[in-house]
Amino acid sequence: MWNLLDEDGPFPSDAQQPGDAPQIAPILPLFGSLDDEAPAGWQERALCAQTDPEAFFPEKGGSTREAKKVCVGCEVRSECLDYALENDERFGIWGGLSERERRKLKKQAI
């Protein structure tokens, strides 16, 4: 069995000597760019990102009232709803609408 941390493992050490600082890959953002001046994505500006996520994914038959209250005042509500519709999100409250409400909205659009 190989020890991946050992110099004799299956991967060459690229001339790293004992005592050298380990080489660490840069951390890249999952979305967007590396530009620090780029505006934050809609997800970072969403009010739900600052609240309890469980409110947005209630148990079957549970109340959606609290989540929808948060959505009413959210500046990125339309972007959130667009995302949910484009990505066929089947669970949770997105853009102030439940899955059932989003399904109805899609049917009306057809």
Side-chain angles (χ1 to χ4, degrees):
M1 178 175 252
W2 289 325
N3 179 352
L4 296 179
L5 299 176
D6 189 8
E7 287 183 19
D8 297 329
F11 305 108
S13 64
D14 290 334
Q16 189 172 3
Q17 300 298 318
D20 286 350
Q23 294 177 350
I24 300 173
I27 298 173
L28 301 174
L30 192 55
F31 301 104
S33 68
L34 291 175
D35 184 4
D36 289 337
E37 296 178 20
W42 68 265
Q43 298 97 336
E44 293 177 10
R45 298 188 328 267
L47 290 178
C48 60
Q50 304 165 27
T51 60
D52 181 13
E54 288 187 26
F56 294 88
F57 296 93
E59 297 286 325
K60 186 172 183 162
S63 176
T64 60
R65 187 176 300 127
E66 292 302 314
K68 289 181 176 185
K69 281 183 187 178
V70 173
C71 293
V72 167
C74 186
E75 70 178 78
V76 296
R77 183 177 177 183
S78 62
E79 290 95 330
C80 179
L81 180 57
D82 289 344
Y83 174 86
L85 294 171
E86 289 173 11
N87 293 285
D88 197 29
E89 287 290 343
R90 296 186 183 218
F91 301 99
I93 306 302
W94 292 83
L97 300 180
S98 67
E99 191 273 332
R100 181 182 299 166
E101 293 165 327
R102 291 191 303 274
R103 214 178 22 224
K104 185 177 178 181
L105 184 64
K106 274 186 161 183
K107 284 182 182 179
Q108 291 174 351
I110 296 176

